[in-house]
């Protein structure tokens, strides 16, 4: 279908609007909507937070009576079910729009196409797949989760140019510069969950929270209240996490995942925001696929901020979608700690497949983003 | 001194000419010369090879009688001594040029300024330091060597993005792509010597020659005859080099450096193009500074193509000027071989100082150039 220049511009505008929800809509997808009459915008909006109005509702409220006969550009197929809000397809029908242009159909196979069907049955002209890839990229985790039940998994690593994450004595502050560390804060703010391992907790005692003051420019866009803290997930197969861990100081949710039960004495010291998941071990460790299946119930995108062993396990088991690597222009030398533990390969053909998606300077460092599903 | 736009353009032209000799003039510096009269070029030339005419002589020959009253732009102070050719300062005087503009004065403290003095005593106006840094950069090794007696040392390394040079079983073909490997060929073609260690020879059996067919675009500029093979230097402290080494197959010069004498039986199997340097050991190894002092007698620029131990020793002893690192977008994992062996640092402040000079894509890989004298 040959799209008009105006159609393309309006969908691009809806996509731009949708992106404004990227840090706040989870576990809902980020969606944008633009309403036009005679090539003039009469309403627009985006979804801000789960439980609040969807993008179409915002746009229709702005347009009022002018929505009659309008074209609606929506980045995702309008919903057809009653959830916390009434279905958007119904709202568009009631407002008497004449045409709906959809970028991406709903990725959930159980509801995909139903919203479009509702609209068509009401006599509305529906066209789909305009700027489809761009619109899907706004919600990669939502797309993945709706299709497979698993969240999108991004591994974050930071190292020197010779692939070392710390000196032999464990000193790692700081290999990367402040800009890269701020970038990691923005990554955390975008993710539903941050997964780490007990070894990292015992060694570095991180808080794994988003610190508003360290968000850089994003801190001007999002208020402290709007910043959503990720679920902090600690893989602790042997139930060793001490109650003194800095993690417990922040009040955002913590999920402890172990293969052994914690003692009542341990649990008694946990604050109220801690929950626990017991999983049967696989090779003595937390089974990663089971963990992701659990997280997939509520998380679109999860990031792994862990040491070489856990990061390597996600890669070797092909459970990770992307790798974000911050690389500092420094040499730590062969005695430093290695970036990622992988099997002892004997041929180059065995290496993990990866494709460079993006490379750019972040302060003094380079940030590489690799697609691991290539 | 405020230079005219024309002066700047002419010196830039002379620098461009000088660069055309970069692969062939060693151990002489690359020099360019432009002669102008009334803002018109009447002659130009560059030094092509040691023993042949200097840049000024080429330019004067082209200008003929038109050199009278001309301005000469030369990238390096004209020589004042009788070597294999008569002094260029004398040639410029005899040709009756009126003005000489020099980019860089001679770096050799024993002759620096003498050429200028000769010209001035003959009544020629001399101006210096136009585009000085650019002109010095044509001959970094020559500059270093004339001042310190040591060549410029560049370490070349290649690794995966996690800093591994091979799998645990030694397999390393190929981590970097064909473009990076061609770039290394061009590096070799530019260097007076390539230094490697006996471990690399025993493990990889390299030839360390320049292969004309692998020079890429440079192969169209340089004929096979013009390609100068670097001196191949093998550090072999315990005199272990086997006569079967692939090194011996190529006929370009080889320098074996050991701390033990080779046996007569070993020497009897060496071809004629092999020479030998015996140095007193330092901590059981070839003393690198002594080696460089020896190479500094004839080499402007040397490159180190060696394993983690030898490359790290040059860095740790602060004997290297630059690091060229080719980095492939691959992960080999913690079991792979490390990039560079350095002391067991305990604080970040102890890391080698290095400053990124240049970063660019070379095929699938990245090439980083670091200044190690920063």
């Amino acid at each position: 279908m040959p799209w008009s220049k105006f159609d393309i511009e309006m969908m691009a505008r809806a996509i731009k609007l949708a992106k404004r929800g990227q840090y706040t809509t989870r576990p809902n997808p980020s969606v944008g909507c633009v309403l036009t009459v005679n090539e003039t915008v009469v309403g627009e909006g985006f979804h801000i937070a789960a439980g609040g109005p969807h993008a179409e509702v915002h746009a229709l409220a702005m347009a009022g009576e002018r929505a009659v006969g309008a074209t609606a550009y929506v980045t995702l197929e309008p919903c057809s079910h009653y959830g916390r809000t009434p279905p958007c397809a119904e709202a568009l029908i009631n407002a008497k729009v004449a045409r709906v242009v959809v970028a991406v159909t709903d990725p959930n196979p159980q509801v995909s196409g139903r919203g479009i069907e509702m609209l068509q049955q009401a006599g509305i002209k529906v066209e789909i797949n305009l700027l489809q890839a761009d619109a899907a990229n706004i919600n990669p985790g939502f797309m993945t989760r709706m299709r497979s039940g698993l969240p999108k998994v991004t591994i974050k690593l930071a190292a020197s140019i010779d692939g070392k994450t710390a000196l032999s004595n464990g000193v790692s502050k700081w290999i990367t510069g402040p800009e890269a560390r701020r970038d990691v804060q923005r990554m955390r703010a975008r993710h539903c969950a941050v997964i780490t391992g007990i070894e990292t907790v015992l060694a570095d005692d991180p808080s794994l929270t988003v610190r508003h003051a360290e968000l850089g420019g994003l801190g001007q866009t999002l208020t402290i209240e709007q910043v959503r803290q990720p679920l902090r997930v600690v893989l602790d197969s042997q139930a060793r996490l001490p109650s003194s861990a800095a993690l417990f100081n922040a009040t955002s949710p913590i999920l402890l995942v172990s293969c052994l039960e914690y003692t009542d004495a341990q649990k008694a010291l946990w604050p109220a925001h801690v929950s626990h998941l017991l999983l049967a071990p696989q090779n003595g460790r937390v089974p990663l696929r089971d963990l992701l299946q659990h997280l997939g119930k509520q998380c679109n995108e999860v990031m792994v901020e862990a040491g070489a062993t856990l990061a390597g396990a996600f890669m070797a088991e092909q459970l990770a979608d992307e790798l974000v690597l911050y690389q500092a222009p420094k040499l730590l030398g062969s005695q430093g700690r290695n970036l990622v533990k992988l099997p002892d390969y004997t041929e180059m053909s065995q290496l993990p497949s990866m494709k460079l998606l993006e490379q750019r300077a972040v302060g003094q460092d380079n940030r590489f983003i690799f697609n691991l599903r290539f």
Side-chain angles (χ1 to χ4, degrees), chain A residues 51-317:
Chain A
H54 287 188
E56 296 91 328
V57 175
H58 282 294
L60 290 170
M62 180 174 163
E65 287 301 313
R66 291 175 297 174
V68 177
T71 293
Y73 298 89
V74 284
T75 57
L76 186 66
E77 178 178 348
C79 62
S80 56
H81 62 281
Y82 281 83
R84 285 192 272 187
T85 58
C88 291
E90 197 176 279
L92 290 165
I93 292 166
N94 293 342
K96 303 194 171 61
V97 305
R99 176 182 173 233
V100 176
V101 183
V102 172
V104 194
T105 54
D106 197 299
N108 184 341
Q110 302 200 319
V111 300
S112 186
R114 285 206 206 156
I116 291 167
E117 214 176 326
M118 271 179 75
L119 293 168
Q120 285 172 330
Q121 281 170 0
I124 296 172
K125 184 178 178 192
V126 181
E127 295 167 76
I128 62 170
N129 295 345
L130 171 56
L131 299 186
Q132 182 182 18
D134 295 332
N137 277 339
I138 309 168
N139 300 298
F142 178 78
M143 295 284 159
T144 303
R145 178 162 77 97
M146 289 297 128
R147 290 192 188 111
S148 69
L150 299 175
K152 179 184 170 189
V153 178
T154 299
I155 298 173
K156 172 249 146 184
L157 293 170
S160 61
I161 202 159
D162 59 338
K164 301 298 178 180
T165 59
L167 299 177
S168 66
N169 62 5
V171 166
S172 64
K173 288 189 180 167
W174 294 108
I175 292 175
T176 53
E179 292 88 350
R181 300 200 301 273
R182 280 199 289 274
D183 205 60
V184 172
Q185 285 286 314
R186 290 189 289 270
M187 270 188 81
R188 280 188 195 161
R190 211 170 59 230
H191 280 79
C192 301
V194 177
I195 300 172
T196 195
I198 181 67
E199 295 297 344
T200 297
V201 174
L202 295 176
D204 301 342
D205 201 19
S207 70
L208 297 176
T209 54
V210 178
R211 294 177 285 277
H212 187 262
E214 293 173 32
L215 288 174
L218 182 63
Q220 272 115 60
T221 310
L222 295 181
T223 63
I224 291 187
E225 293 71 31
Q226 283 178 317
V227 169
R228 298 198 49 193
Q229 293 292 338
L231 173 68
R232 296 170 292 158
V233 182
V234 181
L235 306 199
D236 182 22
S237 58
Q238 302 306 305
R240 290 188 290 156
L241 184 71
S243 62
S244 60
L247 281 173
F248 292 124
N249 298 338
T251 56
S252 58
I254 295 173
L255 174 64
L256 304 182
V257 186
S258 70
C259 301
L260 269 186
E261 260 299 357
Y262 287 89
T263 63
D264 288 342
Q266 282 177 301
K267 290 181 180 177
L269 294 168
W270 290 349
H273 57 284
V274 176
S275 57
H276 176 227
L277 175 67
L278 188 70
L279 292 173
Q282 180 188 312
N283 304 324
R285 311 184 63 107
V286 169
L288 299 181
R289 179 172 282 278
D290 296 349
L291 167 72
L292 292 178
Q293 239 137 18
H294 176 84
L295 293 176
K297 290 175 202 159
Q298 55 176 326
C299 292
N300 293 327
E301 297 179 28
V302 303
M303 67 187 275
V304 178
E305 285 198 76
T309 305
L310 186 51
F314 272 101
M315 293 196 72
E317 295 182 36

